[in-house]
Amino acid sequence: MVDISQIPGRVIDALSLGGPAMWAIAALSVLSLALILWKIWDLSLAGAWSGGAYTRTAIAAWEAGDIARAQAALAGRRSLRAQLARRAMAALQDPTLDRAGAEAETARAARALLIRARSGLRGLELAVVIGPLLGLLGTVAGMIAAFRALQEAGVQADPATLAGGIWEALLTTAAGMGVAIPAQIALSGFDAVVDRLRHDLEDSATRIFLRAPRDVGPSSAATDRAAAE
């Protein structure tokens, strides 16, 4: 059995064997883990896994012509779906906007919400790319040191010493891949969540615009101005 009390010492030994590259990979792993945990929390606050029940209820009320109930269902909701639905309804009821303007305003709001949903993913993309590169850098540096020691030893070189130097060098490659693989899995999962959010936002906006109540639409002033242009 592994003695748990020895784990910190073994970790420090592995970091020391890997050299500066291993310390950089360790720092990258801590940052990646922190970023993954923060992103889970951030998407939870954005309602990524809530299913959008309140938004569906509001859109159903909107389609039925009950604007007050639709707005009440969205009041105070912080999810991205609810925010877009609220802005789309507000744009359609804005007397200063014609339909094209309302659609443009809703599209602008959707883009801003999607950018907010994707915040932090660039950091994970960087970890996926940089982790293996740092590992490769550490391996190359270790191999150079190992073969240099072999050259200096000359005919008295010990193959065991060379083998030890090689596995120590390869340790950084394994560590870099160990950081990149979980980061890539998390990144793929977050991308899937954002794609689903994008689909839900597009669907909600389409339903709100296509099935708006009859008394909701561009004002006569906005219509006249659009016609004049």
Side-chain angles (χ1 to χ4, degrees):
M1 296 180 63
V2 179
D3 187 355
I4 298 178
S5 63
Q6 296 179 355
I7 292 179
R10 293 183 178 181
V11 171
I12 294 176
D13 290 341
L15 293 175
S16 300
L17 290 173
M22 183 65 81
W23 286 100
I25 292 172
L28 183 64
S29 68
V30 173
L31 293 175
S32 298
L33 178 60
L35 185 57
I36 290 171
L37 294 177
W38 171 79
K39 195 59 191 174
I40 292 174
W41 175 77
D42 180 61
L43 288 175
S44 298
L45 289 181
W49 294 286
S50 65
Y54 286 95
T55 304
R56 289 196 301 270
T57 299
I59 293 177
W62 174 267
E63 292 172 341
D66 193 344
I67 299 176
R69 188 161 69 90
Q71 293 175 335
L74 297 174
R77 308 303 305 177
R78 298 177 57 186
S79 72
L80 300 187
R81 298 180 183 90
Q83 289 185 51
L84 181 71
R86 189 163 55 239
R87 294 186 187 184
M89 293 177 184
L92 275 172
Q93 297 177 83
D94 190 338
T96 65
L97 296 175
D98 57 11
R99 188 174 183 86
E103 290 177 353
E105 174 62 23
T106 302
R108 185 194 64 80
R111 286 193 297 270
L113 292 174
L114 287 174
I115 290 174
R116 180 236 186 272
R118 289 193 59 83
S119 62
L121 297 189
R122 289 284 185 176
L124 284 179
E125 292 176 359
L126 184 63
V128 170
V129 175
I130 294 298
L133 291 179
L134 285 174
L136 182 60
L137 176 63
T139 296
V140 171
M143 294 292 286
I144 291 173
F147 281 106
R148 181 179 179 182
L150 179 63
Q151 180 185 21
E152 292 176 352
V155 295
Q156 299 179 351
D158 185 1
T161 302
L162 177 61
I166 292 175
W167 81 258
E168 290 174 6
L170 292 175
L171 187 63
T172 59
T173 297
M177 294 176 65
V179 172
I181 291 173
Q184 179 62 64
I185 293 173
L187 179 61
S188 299
F190 293 144
D191 278 336
V193 172
V194 174
D195 286 342
R196 187 170 67 249
L197 278 173
R198 180 185 296 109
H199 173 270
D200 290 348
L201 295 181
E202 291 175 354
D203 181 71
S204 297
T206 300
R207 291 177 61 187
I208 290 171
F209 273 85
L210 292 182
R211 302 179 183 179
R214 293 183 180 276
D215 57 341
V216 174
S219 66
S220 58
T223 302
D224 295 341
R225 183 171 61 253
E229 293 174 353

